[in-house]
Amino acid sequence: MMKIRWGIIGCGGIARRRTIPGLVRADNAELVAVMDTNESFAKEVAAEFGVAYAFSDMDAILSLDAVDAVYIATPVFCHKEQVIAAANAGKHILLEKPMALTSAEAEELKALCDAKGVRLSIGLMMRFHAYHEEIKRFIADGAIGDIVSIRSQFACWYPDMPGVWRQDKAKSGGGALVDLGVHCIDLVQYVTGLRAKEVAAFCTTQTFSYGVDDSATALLRMDNGALCVIESNFNIPDDAVTGKIEIYGTAGSIRADGTLAQEEVGTVHILKSDSTKGYDASQVRGEIVASVIDVPTGNMYTKEIQRFGEAILSGGEVPVPAQDAIFVQKIVEAAYQSEVEKRFVAV
């Protein structure tokens, strides 16, 4: 099997914890080089995963002929410069979310990659959770009828920490909504096939003292008229977070608990109803029996790498197109605008 030879730009955090372990399990991937501004750390990661090259300079990894594609897992404010350099070097790019500080910057990066013939996919890995893929199939088959209501929640505990880039708006572009809410927004659109058309939101900092939102709730009006609530928080203890998706339709509902996570975990319940029945004033529901989705799970990050590699080798569509991530970022920007202007904002 042909393999894509990978380099990692920014090998700490999510890269070391999740993506690199996922990458080395992919059949069509080979990890060739890692890069981090902390050279000793890069060498440590290289030794851990048996990688030939470890650099502290981005130009060094991009100049390697042995690297076909790079995974960029650096702070958001670094993305623009690094994507431009990688595209100019002819490397295919898996880019962590969000793409850039603004949707306008993200559009520029997409246009450059298109012009250079470089494949670009975005790290919205929740799409690859086996349960989420099964939910998408259920909805596409009409299992719960016409969708009328959606809710998704993702949160963590992220207290004040000096010098942390995610807590500095100039370096992150925003707080909980940008960092966590984007997963919810992308996922509900992906599994339902719907798109947001209008946004109203409250985005505040109520628990901590940093300059980005630690609490955000956005209401999206979808293109079929359904209403969708997105909740993202930096001020809920990790043990109290449910990481849920709820989707209600005219013939049933789907509830996923704990599936918004960095592993393929959680449970999914499906309730089906006879939508042909008339109105029941007593609203006695009787015993509720839910079917539970039970499909084989795996590693989201391995599937992310595997499918992007397949797209590179075959010339097919990348698994998470940049345009999808740009649209998610426009929704986030509309939410922040709504908070400031106290009005509904069209996307």
Side-chain angles (χ1 to χ4, degrees):
M1 173 183 286
M2 291 184 63
K3 293 189 175 184
I4 301 298
R5 299 168 298 176
W6 283 89
I8 309 295
I9 297 176
C11 59
I14 193 67
R16 185 178 191 178
R17 186 171 65 252
R18 298 294 183 187
T19 310
I20 294 175
L23 186 153
V24 298
R25 295 175 58 182
D27 294 336
N28 62 359
E30 177 185 359
L31 183 57
V32 172
V34 295
M35 172 265 162
D36 197 273
T37 52
N38 184 329
E39 185 173 9
S40 63
F41 182 75
K43 289 180 178 178
E44 182 181 312
V45 174
E48 179 180 350
F49 292 98
V51 180
Y53 300 98
F55 302 108
S56 60
D57 176 46
M58 180 176 63
D59 291 337
I61 199 168
L62 293 178
S63 66
L64 271 184
D65 290 337
V67 169
D68 305 309
V70 292
Y71 167 57
I72 298 177
T74 54
V76 181
F77 67 92
C78 300
H79 285 184
K80 183 175 181 180
E81 175 188 358
Q82 292 168 343
V83 170
I84 290 172
N88 285 331
K91 309 300 184 185
H92 304 295
I93 302 164
L94 174 60
L95 177 64
E96 265 304 331
K97 57 77 195 169
M99 284 181 63
L101 287 171
T102 66
S103 61
E105 276 190 5
E107 293 274 16
E108 292 177 22
L109 299 181
K110 177 186 181 300
L112 175 64
C113 290
D114 289 345
K116 295 292 183 177
V118 164
R119 309 307 304 278
L120 174 64
S121 190
I122 312 305
L124 291 161
M125 83 294 179
M126 298 292 181
R127 293 187 178 200
F128 303 102
H129 193 309
Y131 290 171
H132 297 158
E133 294 183 318
E134 191 71 0
I135 289 170
K136 181 177 176 65
R137 283 191 285 271
F138 265 85
I139 292 172
D141 289 342
I144 61 170
D146 297 328
I147 294 170
V148 297
S149 181
I150 308 166
R151 180 189 173 206
S152 183
Q153 180 253 11
F154 197 19
C156 71
W157 184 252
Y158 200 52
D160 291 289
M161 291 178 280
V164 173
W165 66 268
R166 281 188 176 88
Q167 298 175 2
D168 180 346
K169 188 173 182 179
K171 294 181 177 180
S172 64
L177 187 60
V178 154
D179 192 58
L180 302 177
V182 293
H183 281 300
C184 298
I185 295 168
D186 178 69
L187 193 57
V188 298
Q189 293 186 121
Y190 176 68
V191 300
T192 65
L194 303 175
R195 285 168 66 89
K197 303 298 288 184
E198 192 175 19
V199 183
F202 293 100
C203 308
T204 64
T205 309
Q206 65 172 346
T207 303
F208 303 118
S209 60
Y210 41 68
V212 297
D213 50 291
D214 65 16
S215 309
T217 296
L219 176 64
L220 315 181
R221 189 191 305 277
M222 311 305 281
D223 52 6
N224 76 332
L227 299 181
C228 172
V229 176
I230 301 293
E231 300 172 339
S232 46
N233 294 75
F234 277 163
N235 56 356
I236 300 177
D238 294 290
D239 291 341
V241 174
T242 56
K244 67 172 59 180
I245 310 168
E246 299 173 359
I247 305 169
Y248 299 90
T250 55
S253 65
I254 298 173
R255 189 186 79 243
D257 293 307
T259 60
L260 281 158
Q262 292 181 5
E263 296 179 304
E264 291 196 20
V265 294
T267 58
V268 179
H269 295 83
I270 298 176
L271 291 171
K272 290 191 175 185
S273 175
D274 182 359
S275 59
T276 64
K277 293 193 301 185
Y279 171 62
D280 182 357
S282 66
Q283 297 187 8
V284 176
R285 291 172 174 82
E287 182 181 1
I288 297 175
V289 179
S291 58
V292 180
I293 287 181
D294 184 16
V295 293
T297 56
N299 185 303
M300 290 183 287
Y301 300 89
T302 299
K303 287 183 276 189
E304 178 181 46
I305 294 292
Q306 185 89 21
R307 293 181 194 175
F308 185 38
E310 290 168 359
I312 293 171
L313 293 170
S314 69
E317 184 177 0
V318 299
V320 186
Q323 198 57 50
D324 289 3
I326 292 168
F327 188 67
V328 169
Q329 194 152 1
K330 287 181 177 179
I331 295 169
V332 169
E333 290 170 348
Y336 285 141
Q337 183 181 351
S338 173
E339 164 62 30
V340 171
E341 299 179 3
K342 307 302 180 189
R343 67 179 182 89
F344 292 95
V345 177
V347 183

